[in-house]
Amino acid sequence: MHALVLGGNGFIGSYIVDALLAAGNKVRVFGRAPGNSDSLLPSVEYIYGEFSDVARLSEALNDIDVVYHSISTTVPSSSNLSPVEDINGNLINTVKLLECMRQQSVPRIVYLSSGGTVYGIPDSSPVSELHPLRPISSYGVVKVAVENYLHMFHELHDITYVALRVSNPYGAGQSNTGLQGVIGTYINRLNEGLNIEVWGTGEIVRDFVHVQDIALLCVRAGESDAVGVFNAGFGKGTSILNIIDIISQYLDRNVEPVFKSGRSFDVPHIVLDISKAQAEFDWSPTITLQNGIGHTMDRVFKNSRVKLVAA
């Protein structure tokens, strides 16, 4: 299989690249040039360009069997500040991508949607794929719109797709900007000697899943004939306060966060029902939160505390 990973130099994309290579696939990456050329893999072909550059995107699609779309130009916290920019950067550019795929007869795409935002405030937990879609951020609205365009291109142009509604991925290499990914943000800030910030009381619950588990699911989804939307998470909820407790255990000291006012776009509680993906792709997440956080801290702090093992 010849795979194109959009955003393959990014956090999730780089793990997808590693998983594809481990499965014996030929891989091409499209995205912005990385700041550190040492991270480039000799067995991977790289094409650099902006997501909006249709000519470069068309070049990257040549002879591709499946596209893995992990590019996002916004995160939930920034998307509401400029919904128009969110629409232009993500929705319009993804529709252009689908048009290029149609023109070049690229048959399949795996899209990383959002299990944490497309459902809005859920009526019940865990949340299945049948739950109504009521996003309260532009980020979630655009993800839903992209899913609808995927369905349209499937019906009209026979492009098969899997949209993975990913919950809250974490792992080594996650950005420390503080815009998305509380685990990565907290660990990186603590490593730099900075305080960590909690929006609200810290009692909001999220479904945290290690990025390696998501990467494996992406590969299996691309190799399959399945079509449709699938939740992708760990299937269990954890509060922000519990995340801080786990980090404190590895540091062997109490981490005292700075509490700030809650944000209107934060969903109070969401845990995904992942049974559909488990059945369809013979997949289950294997990396526990404790081991995943420990491994991430090993990488960031450069100090062996715990081995990453399946559990």
Side-chain angles (χ1 to χ4, degrees):
M1 183 172 73
H2 193 182
L4 171 65
V5 183
L6 304 180
N9 290 324
F11 171 52
I12 299 179
S14 63
Y15 279 87
I16 295 174
V17 169
D18 289 343
L20 285 166
L21 292 173
N25 297 291
K26 184 178 179 181
V27 178
R28 179 183 296 154
V29 164
F30 175 85
R32 293 175 176 171
N36 182 8
S37 61
D38 293 340
S39 63
L40 302 182
L41 300 172
S43 59
V44 173
E45 178 188 1
Y46 294 89
I47 295 180
Y48 301 125
E50 296 293 330
F51 191 27
S52 58
D53 189 336
V54 174
R56 295 292 283 171
L57 198 58
S58 296
E59 178 186 348
L61 288 167
N62 187 44
D63 295 326
I64 291 297
D65 300 309
V66 57
V67 174
Y68 291 86
H69 181 357
S70 67
I71 289 178
S72 180
T73 63
T74 61
V75 296
S77 59
S78 67
S79 65
N80 287 354
L81 299 176
S82 181
V84 172
E85 181 180 337
D86 190 22
I87 293 167
N88 287 331
N90 294 302
L91 178 57
I92 292 177
N93 285 337
T94 298
V95 174
K96 290 179 180 178
L97 163 69
L98 292 171
E99 275 290 300
C100 290
M101 290 178 61
R102 178 186 64 81
Q103 293 167 5
Q104 295 179 232
S105 300
V106 178
R108 187 160 179 79
I109 182 170
V110 176
Y111 173 65
L112 272 69
S113 186
S114 171
T117 63
V118 298
Y119 298 112
I121 300 175
D123 298 328
S124 58
S125 182
V127 181
S128 80
E129 292 86 352
L130 298 177
H131 189 283
L133 304 180
R134 300 188 295 249
I136 57 175
S137 67
S138 178
Y139 185 86
V141 171
V142 167
K143 292 291 189 182
V144 172
V146 170
E147 289 182 7
N148 286 329
Y149 273 104
L150 291 170
H151 176 73
M152 185 191 85
F153 273 77
H154 172 59
E155 292 293 325
L156 299 182
H157 307 300
D158 295 323
I159 294 177
T160 63
Y161 75 94
V162 167
L164 296 176
R165 292 174 176 169
V166 181
S167 56
N168 293 81
Y170 71 95
Q174 195 168 26
S175 170
N176 62 352
T177 61
L179 294 176
Q180 189 175 32
V182 294
I183 293 177
T185 297
Y186 288 173
I187 293 173
N188 280 289
R189 286 185 65 85
L190 289 168
N191 184 49
E192 296 168 4
L194 302 174
N195 291 326
I196 63 173
E197 298 175 340
V198 174
W199 300 94
T201 65
E203 296 173 318
I204 64 171
V205 171
R206 293 290 182 268
D207 185 341
F208 295 96
V209 60
H210 197 275
V211 65
Q212 287 183 9
D213 282 325
I214 292 300
L216 176 59
L217 175 58
C218 287
V219 173
R220 292 190 180 178
E223 293 173 341
S224 76
D225 296 323
V227 174
V229 296
F230 297 84
N231 285 339
F234 196 80
K236 294 181 181 179
T238 305
S239 72
I240 300 301
L241 291 178
N242 191 42
I243 293 297
I244 296 172
D245 285 342
I246 295 172
I247 292 173
S248 295
Q249 292 172 22
Y250 284 107
L251 291 177
D252 197 26
R253 66 178 175 86
N254 289 328
V255 174
E256 299 293 342
V258 175
F259 290 92
K260 305 185 74 173
S261 298
R263 302 177 296 187
S264 60
F265 58 84
D266 281 329
V267 175
H269 184 289
I270 186 162
V271 178
L272 301 182
D273 177 352
I274 60 172
S275 57
K276 183 180 177 184
Q278 288 174 306
E280 181 67 43
F281 304 116
D282 188 27
W283 166 90
S284 284
T286 61
I287 300 171
T288 65
L289 189 58
Q290 288 77 8
N291 283 333
I293 289 178
H295 179 259
T296 304
M297 293 181 72
D298 285 349
R299 293 279 298 275
V300 173
F301 283 82
K302 302 289 193 287
N303 180 26
S304 282
R305 289 188 177 85
V306 66
K307 293 181 179 179
L308 181 61
V309 296

